[in-house]
Amino acid sequence: MTIAEHETPVAAHTGTTTTMTMAAALNRALADALAADPDVVVFGEDVGALGGVFRITDGLTARFGEDRCFDTPLAESGIIGTAVGMAMNGMRPVVEMQFDAFALPAFEQIVSHVAKLGNRTRGGMRMPLVIRIPFGGGIGGVEHHCDSSEAYYAHTPGLTVLSPSTPQDAYSLLRAAIASPDPVVFLEPKKLYWSKGEVDTAVTAEIGSARIAREGTDVTLLAYGASVPLALEAAEVAAGEGRSVQVVDVRSLSPFDDETVTAAVRSTGRAVVIAEAPGFVSVASEIQARVFERCFEYLEAPVRRVTGFDTPYAPPKFEHWYLPDVDRVLDAIDTLHWEDDA
Amino acid sequence: MTIAEHETPVAAHTGTTTTMTMAAALNRALADALAADPDVVVFGEDVGALGGVFRITDGLTARFGEDRCFDTPLAESGIIGTAVGMAMNGMRPVVEMQFDAFALPAFEQIVSHVAKLGNRTRGGMRMPLVIRIPFGGGIGGVEHHCDSSEAYYAHTPGLTVLSPSTPQDAYSLLRAAIASPDPVVFLEPKKLYWSKGEVDTAVTAEIGSARIAREGTDVTLLAYGASVPLALEAAEVAAGEGRSVQVVDVRSLSPFDDETVTAAVRSTGRAVVIAEAPGFVSVASEIQARVFERCFEYLEAPVRRVTGFDTPYAPPKFEHWYLPDVDRVLDAIDTLHWEDDA
Amino acid sequence: MHPHDMLPRDIAVRLIAEDGTALPDEAYALPAADVLLAAYRGLVEGRRINDQAGALVRQGRLAVYPSSHGQEACQVAAAMVLGDTDWLFPTYRDSVAVIARGVAPAEAMVLLKGDWHSGYDVRAHRVAPQATPLATQLLHAVGFAQAAKHRGEDTVVLALCGDGATSEGDFHEAMNFAAVFHVPVVFFVQNNEFAISVPLSRQTAAPSLAHKAVGYGMPGQRVDGNDVAAVLAVLTEAVDRARAGGGPSLVEAHTYRMQAHTNADDDTRYREREEVQAWLARDPLLRLRAHLTATGTLDDEAESRFAAGAEEIAAAMRTALNTDADLDPEDLFRFVTATRSPQREEQWQLLRDEIARSHPAETMTTGGPR
Amino acid sequence: MHPHDMLPRDIAVRLIAEDGTALPDEAYALPAADVLLAAYRGLVEGRRINDQAGALVRQGRLAVYPSSHGQEACQVAAAMVLGDTDWLFPTYRDSVAVIARGVAPAEAMVLLKGDWHSGYDVRAHRVAPQATPLATQLLHAVGFAQAAKHRGEDTVVLALCGDGATSEGDFHEAMNFAAVFHVPVVFFVQNNEFAISVPLSRQTAAPSLAHKAVGYGMPGQRVDGNDVAAVLAVLTEAVDRARAGGGPSLVEAHTYRMQAHTNADDDTRYREREEVQAWLARDPLLRLRAHLTATGTLDDEAESRFAAGAEEIAAAMRTALNTDADLDPEDLFRFVTATRSPQREEQWQLLRDEIARSHPAETMTTGGPR
Ligand SMILES: Cc1ncc(C[n+]2csc(CCOP(=O)(O)OP(=O)(O)O)c2C)c(N)n1
Ligand SMILES: Cc1ncc(C[n+]2csc(CCOP(=O)(O)OP(=O)(O)O)c2C)c(N)n1
Ligand SMILES: [Mg+2]
Ligand SMILES: [Mg+2]
């Protein structure tokens, strides 16, 4: 029985590719990496028998043994710190932080060591480790379960920061992350765990490349993670209103694909950045600033951003007021100095 | 003997105001706050008998007693976490993190509690605490002693983030921070600790306001902390080259003074943001993005930024290659589409 | 105190056997009959609250519920040993303790209902908000006690956490700060054998969690967490010591999480049904009832009075939770800080405009919804 | 192992008295004469390295130096007890141990000179980079040992830290992970009574730091840190246990930081001269010399041979540090990641352009410096 066929993560074969949920794609990527490379180990809180609270590690201990996929004591700095030590000693640890906010106890280890040890040793020791974090909201989680902390990681030199928005990217980018000699913070949009798509496990992904998720000529939406389906939805509605909206899935937050993004925005002359995280000093502001700087002569209107508010993440019942939605995206598009403006 | 006259921090009276170093101004602010309000307590690592590794708490234990200014065990999460508890119970803790990177072990406490407890309790419990952090480089410190982590704090909703660049602001802003009902991350530019200026202790500061540090009509430099004197120096050189350069000391990173900054940039039509921290997803990118968005119609050229590289902070002997300097600022100004451009 | 005296017993303190027989103990006296009767009432109510909350989750009225079913002796004792000026620092699993301390069930459930991050007046009941990030609240408890000591107030702080939480760095730092500053805090670990799916053996290799105390220079003790008499006796000693200026201590209760971690969890994946079944025999309610019945302290009248009281609480919970609270979206902005931020005010205005557009009748705006 | 057996002795292990007399111990044998002689040589060299580094700081050739003057017995023993396949995880204060393990003094000083963050080949000497963020390296040591165990390698990891560092959460998590995963790590705490200015009494209220071990389920032991014979014996036992699959343990050495924290520190602000003076009598060098002289193991010839060797090292240090290294600014970008980042490459190019402009002769560029 392959992992992808296992009980929880839904998967169904259709010809050469397979339709599966993002959760199943991630599970499959972990299993394939474990099978391919004996140095890969998976650990964290509840990733063993339970298979992770989101079941992303489902079945891995059963298939690969306690040695390769195991639970740790409940201490995130301990998890990351020991992963650093393992990476120093030739392993490729893939660790799970249970929720975004629960990676914070490990922040010193991440910033002062994970991100810096390769530089400190002049490349004498590399840090091929992956920190998987189920991130973002939209699932009605209580406080501390819905944060988006990509800004903290993307600001930290030395870290690669990725976030997939499709099962295919989930699979291919996670494989690429595990194969990378550098440390990767891998942000899994919780809201999309159960979204389905085709996955071809032969497809490899290149870290650092954005993806044109929809072609369009009037305005470019720049998004990542759970904001990509939102952007696509908004594009669809806007199409009904007669606007041709391009959608770029940034997916590699750091390094950032300036080439694709700049070309995209130059082609439309208008842009809106969408992200769930609070907007102040965020990845969204970085993208906005970069696009402004690189596309200045091409812009018909200021680049806008639609982000989470600069407040703590909302309680479950307030989530729908907090999160960027189609209306907010369309409102932002409306401000972009259209010729038909009154 | 007043604290400001004490041995280490240099201070000399001249009429109604006093000339003193930034270190002395901070020391004076702490002493005055301790004297004014019995709920204020100062603690951290080495802040007692030693007076802090930068002597900012010099003499406070001797003057106010072990109860009001004291050393703790060596544990930053413990320092911030107990400060949270004290603030819950009516105190106004002012804690010192010894260096920027050594605040990181407390990151969970800062993000998940300091920033959120007031919101969590619907204002039932406020967090009137101040986290003092000697920040930035330029002093030849070894690894982990020269970082600039304002982006982490500024991105976190609920935190006020301040950084003074003059002894007067050091005094007045620290007093304002301690008086604030909300938590403040107070970033003290190490490089400026021994710079001198006049301080009038009667002057109060308003959190959230930027300061025009130099008038000018051709271009606006936006800076904070140790980058302010750099901006002023660059402005001076540029003046020699016939350019009139305005300098804005942002000083309140969050909340941010859009009004002053927007008016300033609109008046010149050109802007460069200067900061020591790595530029990617930084306070500098936020400022750049905001200015772009709010001054779009007024800009003669793209807003530029001059920041630290997106690398770990440099070893001491590499610092001069790493840090923004006058030449880099002037180079950035040169790119701003001047009429006299070839 | 010699280090050996800071070590807990090799076997956890017990005052009542599983069949209800009192077990004499040289150091801890059995609490008085009226105290045990009050405790029993608490157990009955606590069990009912747990079960009612579970039902409300299944009906979709609570977003999530981490049940303390099986741990009610710890929950009730934690509330009972505290005086009016004392403070309780609970976790997400300690709703029963929070309610036992006087918080209205509906207010205690606000967090789990999803209406806000915390729903009770912390000062009115002297109960900190229930903490989710593990072990972080232990430091708050220490700082809180430090402030009380600083002002010379008569406050003992009882800080709760689970076995899993003892692995976090903050547990260590809290124990150490408490000991170094000699503050009136009692750390009460409910060792229920699991941290979600992770068993105690993956959490520690120590002889017991209470053995950690000596490493901080404070006494540690172990108690049978399903014996409310023993928990009351051991915690009371610890609280009394703290109140008398004797400093902090650590109490570990051996208990068991009878249900899944929360409703969202599936415990069949990681533990045998037999293991769970085996703990049924140690149920804290049955044990105390056996004792109180045998000693003639509990009669049918009291039993049905307690049951009726518990039903009333459950009914109040249902009423409160079956009503949708009137939520104001602007609360998102209202409490973030006490001071103003122009950035947030701009966003606040944006939200107000959206709301106005979607409820045009209630507002002065002329533009309709999109 | 019964919990009591995990507790350290009430009095630290000592094998040689301050006057050089051997003290028989029931559990720990005095190391052989040749081992002690080698240790003595290490002490002489270590002391010389400390003093030379201090001088180089005063001459401005080192940016900073945290001296282990007075702690050389711990430094030397830490290096001596390890085999070729073992690893050392040192802190900023452990330069002497790093050098004793085989790293060239000039390479060990790169960090403190300011030429880079670390300057030796970690794999060649099996020494991790010296750690600055306190206690963080203890977790690395544990993970490193976990990997070795996973692959079935014969590696024991010796992880060093100070008394202050034991207060950090990472100390706790490292001890716990080591015990739970039963990995071959020895935690060696050099308790030198101070963390910069903060005395031990503000760091812990525990009977000793070694008393923390039982809380993790591992043995703890205390040793006189100025008695190199005792440190060797106790550490060797711990390393042997780890190598034999007996799991981790904690060793606390009682020693004293004879000098200020670093040259930048002023210890007159926080400790009495008398206190420092009192520790002179317990100097590790003098003690071992007294013993070796009395037992006839050390003669004048060996003494002057060791001194000459130490002078050679010092001379090499001076030569190396008085030479300015040829630093390449592009190193700022070269090692950050192994993979490329267009953002960084753009900045790298900017730096290259700047350098080209400021050294026009060396480059093809036509534009001059600004
Ligand atoms: C810092 C942190 N990490 C992870 C979590 C996720 N989490 C919630 S409860 C839990 C298990 C806690 O176990 P324990 O401390 O034994 O308490 P119990 O749930 O058994 O009462 C985990 C891992 C969290 N809340 N906080
Ligand atoms: C996480 C962290 N916090 C603070 C510091 C600053 N600091 C450097 S050394 C030191 C004292 C360390 O004391 P101890 O662990 O006893 O070691 P010693 O210096 O005595 O060898 C402090 C506070 C640091 N390096 N790392
Ligand atoms: Mg538990
Ligand atoms: Mg020390």
Side-chain angles (χ1 to χ4, degrees):
Chain A
M1 187 183 76
T2 70
I3 292 296
E5 292 163 353
H6 194 279
E7 172 195 348
T8 322
V10 180
H13 284 277
T14 56
T16 57
T17 63
T18 312
T19 300
M20 59 175 91
T21 62
M22 183 183 286
L26 293 164
N27 180 269
R28 179 67 182 269
L30 292 172
D32 289 355
L34 281 161
D37 183 348
D39 291 333
V40 173
V41 281
V42 172
F43 56 96
E45 295 159 9
D46 304 292
V47 299
L50 183 62
V53 293
F54 292 104
R55 304 291 184 270
I56 307 303
T57 57
D58 191 41
L60 299 181
T61 301
R63 179 165 161 203
F64 297 98
E66 259 282 324
D67 249 28
R68 305 289 306 283
C69 176
F70 54 88
D71 291 326
T72 64
L74 211 171
E76 293 78 8
S77 191
I79 293 168
I80 302 286
T82 54
V84 168
M86 289 188 206
M88 290 170 92
N89 201 358
M91 314 284 291
R92 292 185 173 269
V94 183
V95 301
E96 176 173 304
M97 300 279 98
Q98 203 157 73
F99 287 88
D100 224 300
F102 305 145
L104 301 178
F107 202 60
E108 180 190 32
Q109 286 286 352
I110 296 174
V111 173
S112 292
H113 294 301
V114 173
K116 290 183 176 162
L117 221 137
N119 186 62
R120 182 176 306 146
T121 57
R122 304 173 73 87
M125 275 173 166
R126 283 290 165 202
M127 283 286 107
L129 64 86
V130 179
I131 303 173
R132 293 181 39 244
I133 309 182
F135 100 116
I139 58 157
V142 294
E143 203 187 0
H144 312 289
H145 289 75
C146 290
D147 306 279
S148 296
S149 25
E150 62 270 28
Y152 300 141
Y153 304 113
H155 177 61
T156 305
L159 298 179
T160 296
V161 184
L162 307 176
S163 185
S165 77
T166 65
Q168 179 67 62
D169 276 352
Y171 180 85
S172 304
L173 280 175
L174 184 51
R175 291 298 304 270
I178 298 172
S180 171
D182 295 314
V184 177
V185 174
F186 195 86
L187 300 168
E188 304 171 357
K190 288 191 281 287
K191 198 183 163 185
L192 304 184
Y193 268 151
W194 309 107
S195 67
K196 286 189 201 173
E198 303 229 310
V199 175
D200 181 345
T201 57
V203 171
T204 58
E206 203 197 327
I207 290 171
S209 80
R211 180 177 67 90
I212 307 292
R214 178 188 171 113
E215 300 289 352
T217 52
D218 294 340
V219 52
T220 304
L221 302 182
L222 301 160
Y224 55 89
S227 298
V228 174
L230 167 62
L232 290 169
E233 204 187 325
E236 198 60 39
V237 178
E241 299 180 358
R243 283 203 175 120
S244 167
V245 179
Q246 183 190 41
V247 176
V248 179
D249 179 354
V250 167
R251 80 187 170 176
S252 182
L253 279 48
S254 177
F256 185 81
D257 187 351
D258 279 313
E259 207 178 310
T260 303
V261 168
T262 304
V265 178
R266 286 186 180 179
S267 78
T268 62
R270 291 182 173 86
V272 175
V273 187
I274 313 171
E276 260 182 60
F280 199 72
V281 189
S282 67
V283 170
S285 28
E286 175 64 41
I287 298 176
Q288 194 185 18
R290 300 187 85 74
V291 167
F292 258 125
E293 207 172 340
R294 282 150 211 266
C295 306
F296 188 67
E297 324 283 334
Y298 300 80
L299 290 175
E300 306 287 341
V303 180
R304 299 293 181 197
R305 54 174 129 149
V306 177
T307 66
F309 296 132
D310 291 314
T311 69
Y313 193 85
K317 297 264 177 72
F318 288 74
E319 208 171 36
H320 62 292
W321 287 309
Y322 179 89
L323 287 173
D325 62 10
V326 169
D327 280 352
R328 284 192 195 147
V329 175
L330 295 176
D331 286 351
I333 293 176
D334 280 352
T335 68
L336 299 179
H337 303 185
W338 299 93
E339 272 95 76
D340 51 10
D341 279 0
Chain B
M1 187 183 76
T2 71
I3 291 299
E5 292 162 355
H6 194 281
E7 174 195 348
T8 321
V10 179
H13 284 279
T14 57
T16 57
T17 64
T18 312
T19 301
M20 60 175 90
T21 62
M22 182 181 286
L26 293 164
N27 179 269
R28 178 69 181 267
L30 291 172
D32 290 354
L34 281 162
D37 182 349
D39 291 334
V40 173
V41 281
V42 172
F43 57 97
E45 294 160 8
D46 303 293
V47 300
L50 183 62
V53 294
F54 292 104
R55 305 291 184 271
I56 308 303
T57 57
D58 190 41
L60 299 181
T61 301
R63 178 164 164 204
F64 297 98
E66 259 281 325
D67 249 29
R68 305 288 307 285
C69 177
F70 55 88
D71 291 327
T72 64
L74 212 171
E76 293 78 9
S77 191
I79 294 168
I80 302 287
T82 54
V84 168
M86 289 187 206
M88 289 169 91
N89 201 357
M91 314 285 290
R92 291 184 172 270
V94 183
V95 301
E96 176 173 303
M97 300 278 99
Q98 202 157 76
F99 287 88
D100 224 301
F102 305 145
L104 301 177
F107 202 61
E108 181 190 31
Q109 286 287 352
I110 296 174
V111 173
S112 292
H113 294 300
V114 174
K116 290 184 177 163
L117 221 136
N119 186 62
R120 182 175 308 146
T121 57
R122 304 174 73 86
M125 274 174 167
R126 284 289 164 203
M127 283 285 108
L129 66 85
V130 179
I131 303 173
R132 293 182 37 243
I133 308 182
F135 99 116
I139 57 155
V142 295
E143 202 187 0
H144 310 291
H145 289 74
C146 291
D147 306 279
S148 296
S149 24
E150 62 270 27
Y152 301 141
Y153 305 113
H155 177 61
T156 305
L159 298 179
T160 297
V161 184
L162 307 177
S163 186
S165 78
T166 65
Q168 179 67 61
D169 275 353
Y171 180 85
S172 304
L173 281 175
L174 184 50
R175 291 299 304 270
I178 298 172
S180 172
D182 295 316
V184 177
V185 174
F186 195 85
L187 300 168
E188 303 171 357
K190 289 191 281 288
K191 199 184 163 184
L192 303 185
Y193 269 151
W194 310 108
S195 69
K196 284 188 202 174
E198 304 228 310
V199 175
D200 181 345
T201 57
V203 170
T204 57
E206 203 196 329
I207 289 172
S209 81
R211 181 176 67 91
I212 307 292
R214 179 189 171 112
E215 299 291 353
T217 52
D218 293 341
V219 51
T220 304
L221 302 182
L222 301 160
Y224 55 88
S227 298
V228 174
L230 167 62
L232 290 169
E233 204 188 325
E236 198 59 38
V237 178
E241 298 180 358
R243 278 195 181 129
S244 167
V245 180
Q246 183 189 41
V247 176
V248 179
D249 179 355
V250 167
R251 80 187 170 175
S252 182
L253 279 48
S254 177
F256 185 80
D257 187 351
D258 279 314
E259 208 179 308
T260 302
V261 168
T262 304
V265 177
R266 287 186 180 179
S267 78
T268 63
R270 291 182 173 87
V272 175
V273 187
I274 313 171
E276 262 182 59
F280 199 73
V281 189
S282 66
V283 171
S285 27
E286 175 65 41
I287 298 176
Q288 193 184 19
R290 300 186 87 73
V291 167
F292 259 125
E293 206 171 342
R294 281 149 210 266
C295 307
F296 188 65
E297 324 284 335
Y298 299 79
L299 290 174
E300 306 287 341
V303 181
R304 299 292 181 198
R305 54 173 127 149
V306 177
T307 66
F309 296 132
D310 291 314
T311 68
Y313 193 86
K317 296 264 177 73
F318 289 73
E319 209 171 35
H320 62 291
W321 287 309
Y322 178 88
L323 287 173
D325 62 10
V326 169
D327 280 351
R328 284 190 196 148
V329 175
L330 295 176
D331 285 351
I333 293 176
D334 280 351
T335 68
L336 300 179
H337 304 184
W338 300 93
E339 272 94 75
D340 52 10
D341 280 1
Chain C
M1 200 182 271
H2 189 271
H4 284 181
D5 300 328
M6 296 180 190
L7 293 182
R9 294 190 184 172
D10 284 343
I11 294 168
V13 176
R14 276 185 138 191
L15 299 180
I16 299 179
E18 276 149 28
D19 64 3
T21 322
L23 303 167
D25 188 281
E26 52 190 20
Y28 299 96
L30 191 71
D34 60 328
V35 173
L36 291 180
L37 199 64
Y40 182 67
R41 181 195 177 129
L43 293 179
V44 170
E45 293 176 1
R47 177 64 50 87
R48 190 67 191 88
I49 291 165
N50 276 326
D51 292 349
Q52 180 60 70
L56 287 162
V57 166
R58 288 188 293 278
Q59 293 153 24
R61 302 305 308 177
L62 279 178
V64 63
Y65 187 70
S67 177
S68 62
H69 189 116
Q71 301 176 219
E72 290 94 347
C74 297
Q75 297 284 307
V76 167
M80 284 182 71
V81 296
L82 295 183
D84 277 352
T85 59
D86 298 332
W87 273 76
L88 181 71
F89 277 68
T91 78
Y92 51 88
R93 195 175 301 288
D94 302 311
S95 299
V96 167
V98 168
I99 294 169
R101 177 98 177 123
V103 173
E107 289 179 7
M109 299 287 156
V110 162
L111 160 68
L112 304 167
K113 192 181 173 196
D115 286 354
W116 198 255
H117 309 299
S118 178
Y120 47 87
D121 180 341
V122 289
R123 294 193 200 286
H125 306 287
R126 301 190 181 250
V127 179
Q130 286 177 269
T132 302
L134 295 162
T136 56
Q137 78 281 4
L138 304 178
L139 281 165
H140 307 167
V142 173
F144 199 96
Q146 263 180 292
K149 186 181 169 186
H150 178 82
R151 287 195 302 260
E153 291 166 0
D154 175 27
T155 301
V156 173
V157 180
L158 185 65
L160 309 183
C161 78
D163 46 311
T166 65
S167 296
E168 291 280 4
D170 273 7
F171 171 84
H172 174 70
E173 301 190 13
M175 295 280 287
N176 195 41
F177 272 61
V180 165
F181 292 112
H182 204 68
V183 294
V185 175
V186 175
F187 297 98
F188 182 37
V189 179
Q190 289 169 71
N191 171 0
N192 62 7
E193 300 274 341
F194 284 92
I196 308 187
S197 71
V198 181
L200 186 67
S201 59
R202 201 22 85 86
Q203 215 60 253
T204 184
S208 84
L209 296 170
H211 279 84
K212 294 183 184 293
V214 66
Y216 304 97
M218 64 171 84
Q221 189 53 289
R222 315 165 64 176
V223 62
D224 181 332
N226 287 13
D227 173 358
V228 75
V231 181
L232 282 168
V234 171
L235 279 184
T236 298
E237 182 197 55
V239 168
D240 288 350
R241 179 192 299 110
R243 198 181 308 286
S249 59
L250 171 66
V251 175
E252 174 189 13
H254 294 275
T255 180
Y256 194 79
R257 199 193 71 210
M258 296 299 290
Q259 302 186 343
H261 172 65
T262 68
N263 50 292
D265 179 36
D266 173 7
D267 69 339
T268 62
R269 286 178 161 254
Y270 54 82
R271 62 181 183 183
E272 300 295 335
R273 287 314 88 191
E274 294 69 45
E275 183 185 313
V276 183
Q277 292 299 317
W279 276 85
L280 276 178
R282 310 200 209 164
D283 187 84
L285 253 100
L286 301 182
R287 190 186 310 192
L288 186 57
R289 181 195 287 149
H291 174 75
L292 292 177
T293 312
T295 54
T297 315
L298 180 72
D299 55 22
D300 288 354
E301 183 275 325
E303 181 82 70
S304 55
R305 190 156 38 86
F306 294 169
E311 277 316 316
E312 257 173 58
I313 296 172
M317 279 173 71
R318 287 194 300 273
T319 311
L321 294 174
N322 283 324
T323 319
D324 280 328
D326 208 8
L327 303 178
D328 179 355
E330 292 189 44
D331 282 0
L332 278 176
F333 290 96
R334 203 159 266 142
F335 309 112
V336 183
T337 51
T339 51
R340 53 182 298 269
S341 148
Q343 285 73 57
R344 244 189 317 274
E345 274 163 28
E346 213 171 74
Q347 298 168 9
W348 193 340
Q349 189 53 48
L350 206 124
L351 182 66
R352 267 198 216 101
D353 291 348
E354 283 182 4
I355 296 163
R357 282 197 293 172
S358 59
H359 302 287
E362 301 168 24
T363 68
M364 304 290 288
T365 181
T366 47
R370 189 171 188 96
Chain D
M1 199 183 274
H2 188 273
H4 285 181
D5 300 328
M6 295 181 191
L7 293 184
R9 294 190 185 171
D10 285 341
I11 294 169
V13 177
R14 278 186 137 191
L15 298 180
I16 298 179
E18 276 149 27
D19 64 4
T21 323
L23 302 166
D25 187 282
E26 52 190 18
Y28 298 97
L30 192 71
D34 61 327
V35 173
L36 291 180
L37 199 63
Y40 182 69
R41 180 195 179 128
L43 293 180
V44 170
E45 292 176 359
R47 176 64 50 86
R48 190 67 192 90
I49 290 165
N50 276 325
D51 292 349
Q52 180 60 70
L56 286 162
V57 166
R58 286 187 294 277
Q59 293 154 25
R61 301 307 307 178
L62 279 176
V64 63
Y65 187 71
S67 176
S68 62
H69 189 116
Q71 301 177 218
E72 290 93 348
C74 298
Q75 297 284 308
V76 167
M80 284 182 70
V81 297
L82 295 182
D84 277 353
T85 58
D86 298 333
W87 273 75
L88 181 71
F89 277 68
T91 77
Y92 52 88
R93 196 175 300 290
D94 301 313
S95 298
V96 167
V98 168
I99 295 169
R101 177 96 177 124
V103 173
E107 289 179 8
M109 298 289 155
V110 163
L111 160 67
L112 304 167
K113 193 180 173 196
D115 285 354
W116 198 254
H117 309 300
S118 177
Y120 48 87
D121 181 341
V122 288
R123 294 195 199 287
H125 304 287
R126 300 189 182 253
V127 179
Q130 286 177 271
T132 301
L134 294 163
T136 56
Q137 78 281 3
L138 304 178
L139 282 165
H140 308 167
V142 173
F144 200 96
Q146 262 179 292
K149 184 180 169 184
H150 177 84
R151 287 195 301 260
E153 290 166 2
D154 175 26
T155 300
V156 174
V157 180
L158 185 65
L160 308 184
C161 77
D163 46 311
T166 65
S167 296
E168 291 280 5
D170 273 7
F171 171 85
H172 175 70
E173 301 190 13
M175 295 279 289
N176 195 41
F177 272 63
V180 165
F181 292 113
H182 204 69
V183 294
V185 175
V186 176
F187 298 98
F188 182 37
V189 179
Q190 289 169 71
N191 171 0
N192 63 6
E193 299 276 341
F194 284 92
I196 308 187
S197 71
V198 181
L200 186 66
S201 59
R202 199 24 80 89
Q203 215 59 253
T204 185
S208 83
L209 295 170
H211 279 84
K212 294 183 184 293
V214 65
Y216 304 97
M218 63 171 85
Q221 190 53 288
R222 314 164 67 176
V223 62
D224 181 332
N226 288 13
D227 173 357
V228 75
V231 181
L232 282 168
V234 171
L235 279 184
T236 298
E237 182 197 55
V239 168
D240 287 351
R241 180 193 298 111
R243 197 181 310 284
S249 59
L250 171 65
V251 176
E252 174 189 13
H254 295 276
T255 181
Y256 194 79
R257 200 193 71 210
M258 294 300 290
Q259 303 186 343
H261 172 66
T262 68
N263 50 293
D265 179 36
D266 173 8
D267 68 338
T268 62
R269 287 179 159 254
Y270 55 80
R271 63 181 182 184
E272 300 295 336
R273 288 313 89 190
E274 294 70 47
E275 183 184 314
V276 183
Q277 291 300 317
W279 277 85
L280 276 179
R282 310 200 208 165
D283 187 84
L285 252 99
L286 301 181
R287 190 187 310 194
L288 186 57
R289 182 195 288 150
H291 174 76
L292 292 176
T293 312
T295 54
T297 314
L298 180 70
D299 55 21
D300 288 352
E301 183 277 323
E303 180 83 69
S304 56
R305 189 157 37 86
F306 293 170
E311 277 317 314
E312 256 172 59
I313 295 173
M317 278 173 75
R318 286 193 301 272
T319 312
L321 294 173
N322 283 323
T323 319
D324 281 328
D326 207 9
L327 303 177
D328 180 355
E330 292 188 44
D331 282 0
L332 278 176
F333 290 97
R334 204 159 266 144
F335 308 112
V336 184
T337 51
T339 52
R340 53 181 299 270
S341 147
Q343 284 73 55
R344 245 189 316 275
E345 275 162 28
E346 215 171 75
Q347 297 167 10
W348 192 340
Q349 190 53 47
L350 206 123
L351 182 66
R352 267 196 217 103
D353 292 348
E354 282 182 3
I355 295 162
R357 283 197 294 170
S358 59
H359 302 287
E362 301 169 23
T363 69
M364 303 291 287
T365 181
T366 48
R370 190 175 185 89

